[in-house]
Amino acid sequence: MNKILLKYISEFIAEAEKKGLKLIDEREINYGVQLKFSSGNDEIPVNVYNSVKKGINPVVGGSPTSKLRPIIQQILNQEVETTASDHKWKIWAGTDESGKGDFFGPLVVCGFICKTAMIPSLQKLGVRDSKQIKDKEIAKIAKQLFAKFMPQIETISLMPSKYNELYEKFRSQNKKLNELLAWMHARVILNLKVKHKFEGAVVDKFASDKTLKTSLKEIQQIELLHKFKGEDDLAVAAASIIARYLFIWNMEEMEKKYEMDFPKGASGKVKKSAEQFAKIHGKGRLQEVAKIHFKTYNELNL
């Protein structure tokens, strides 16, 4: 961690503590550090990114309705964020992704068409935010979604080799990961539009509205609700479960193929596994199983 980022984080934590917030977790993430604060029963994460071009860029996470959000934004001198009100659509699409923060494995985006008449069935299946569900239950619910609602599902799974190829293509155009992700979400929505008539699409917020709406020209013709905590919407929740299931399934297939474990995330355990893979197959072949633009790749001891 460089001195500028370290100084910024130290000062930020000090200001947060003055406001009555307690730092409960601090961990490295791609291109920065995640800080997690709490007060009472409430928690909120703040990702502090650092780059040569853009400098330090803090991003407040968690629920947009969190009581701690205005406090954090006051410290950062940010305006309080607002989100669009819930839609009244009767037929709509929802999209979500899985694998964005994982060094190993694919990046998966899923889209799901929901109708108001389907809501009781989805609730009965236990559809909710995939982050609240264990992997075993994810598989069970996802298989039922495929069995009952296959025509309403659209997915794009970029395995590491294809992902790395596309990432390099986007980077050569001065575009970054969120722009690749926006392209995937837009492509899924447009593919669904060919098959279904729907009133709009809910997308779990991962970038600016402009990034999503300029990803593909045709997406501008579709009404989009780009919101924080999009998994509160059942269409997005169903998409999040399927995306997570496909990520896990592809990880398991990779483990069978290469006869070794590929841990999730980007931890020290992940580095050890990557180093083991490189010793067996060569560093160059890591692009077959990992997202090589992660800083994890450059930190490997080979």
Side-chain angles (χ1 to χ4, degrees):
M1 191 184 302
N2 65 47
K3 291 181 180 179
I4 296 173
L5 180 58
L6 187 61
K7 182 174 182 291
Y8 180 92
I9 289 171
S10 298
E11 291 175 353
F12 180 68
I13 292 171
E15 287 299 313
E17 288 175 344
K18 286 179 186 177
K19 299 286 185 181
L21 302 183
K22 181 182 178 182
L23 180 69
I24 59 172
D25 189 38
E26 179 178 347
R27 66 184 183 88
E28 286 193 26
I29 56 175
N30 289 317
Y31 310 112
V33 175
Q34 182 181 85
L35 307 172
K36 187 177 285 186
F37 297 95
S38 72
S39 179
N41 295 322
D42 295 320
E43 297 180 3
I44 192 164
V46 181
N47 290 352
V48 184
Y49 298 104
N50 186 35
S51 69
V52 176
K53 285 187 177 180
K54 295 185 177 181
I56 294 175
N57 177 33
V59 178
V60 186
S63 169
T65 60
S66 170
K67 295 176 183 178
L68 305 186
R69 180 175 286 270
I71 300 173
I72 294 291
Q73 290 176 327
Q74 185 181 25
I75 296 169
L76 298 172
N77 294 315
Q78 294 180 351
E79 292 183 8
V80 176
E81 297 170 1
T82 59
T83 57
S85 59
D86 289 340
H87 63 82
K88 301 297 180 184
W89 301 322
K90 292 182 180 179
I91 305 175
W92 71 99
T95 64
D96 204 358
E97 76 280 338
S98 185
K100 180 182 176 183
D102 296 275
F103 179 62
F104 288 120
L107 178 61
V108 182
V109 171
C110 176
F112 186 86
I113 295 291
C114 187
K115 302 176 184 178
T116 51
M118 292 164 50
I119 290 175
S121 296
L122 294 174
Q123 290 174 331
K124 190 175 179 181
L125 289 177
V127 172
R128 59 196 186 279
D129 182 358
S130 63
K131 291 189 284 294
Q132 300 173 4
I133 309 174
K134 292 182 179 179
D135 288 351
K136 242 181 205 180
E137 193 182 353
I138 285 276
K140 181 181 175 183
I141 298 173
K143 287 174 183 177
Q144 292 179 83
L145 287 170
F146 276 117
K148 293 187 177 185
F149 305 110
M150 178 65 86
Q152 272 101 310
I153 298 169
E154 184 74 22
T155 65
I156 295 178
S157 296
L158 294 182
M159 293 304 291
S161 292
K162 186 63 178 177
Y163 171 92
N164 291 319
E165 178 188 332
L166 278 176
Y167 184 85
E168 281 302 312
K169 184 178 179 181
F170 271 69
R171 196 173 72 167
S172 70
Q173 299 169 10
N174 293 317
K175 295 179 179 179
K176 296 185 178 179
L177 175 57
N178 276 346
E179 287 159 305
L180 171 57
L181 195 55
W183 174 82
M184 292 175 71
H185 277 265
R187 187 70 269 161
V188 163
I189 292 169
L190 292 172
N191 288 350
L192 284 171
K193 193 68 175 173
V194 172
K195 304 171 186 176
H196 302 272
K197 289 183 179 179
F198 57 85
E199 298 163 79
V202 183
V203 181
D204 187 45
K205 196 171 183 74
F206 59 87
S208 68
D209 291 350
K210 183 181 177 182
T211 298
L212 179 62
K213 290 176 181 176
T214 59
S215 57
L216 287 170
K217 187 178 179 181
E218 300 93 327
I219 201 69
Q220 295 172 20
Q221 300 169 13
I222 295 174
E223 189 174 349
L224 298 173
L225 176 54
H226 195 198
K227 58 177 284 186
F228 290 102
K229 209 171 180 185
E231 297 92 343
D232 287 347
D233 184 279
L234 274 179
V236 177
S240 76
I241 288 171
I242 296 166
R244 180 66 179 172
Y245 168 71
L246 291 176
F247 171 78
I248 294 167
W249 185 86
N250 278 298
M251 285 283 276
E252 289 173 350
E253 290 299 301
M254 274 180 26
E255 289 180 338
K256 289 176 189 175
K257 179 179 178 179
Y258 294 99
E259 298 182 336
M260 64 176 293
D261 292 333
F262 294 114
K264 299 177 183 69
S267 64
K269 191 176 179 182
V270 169
K271 289 180 188 176
K272 286 182 181 177
S273 184
E275 288 164 359
Q276 180 187 354
F277 179 93
K279 285 176 184 176
I280 297 170
H281 302 285
K283 186 176 180 179
R285 290 190 65 187
L286 271 168
Q287 65 179 344
E288 298 174 16
V289 297
K291 304 174 183 76
I292 60 174
H293 69 88
F294 274 41
K295 69 175 184 178
T296 303
Y297 181 77
N298 296 319
E299 292 174 350
L300 299 178
N301 295 315
L302 299 174

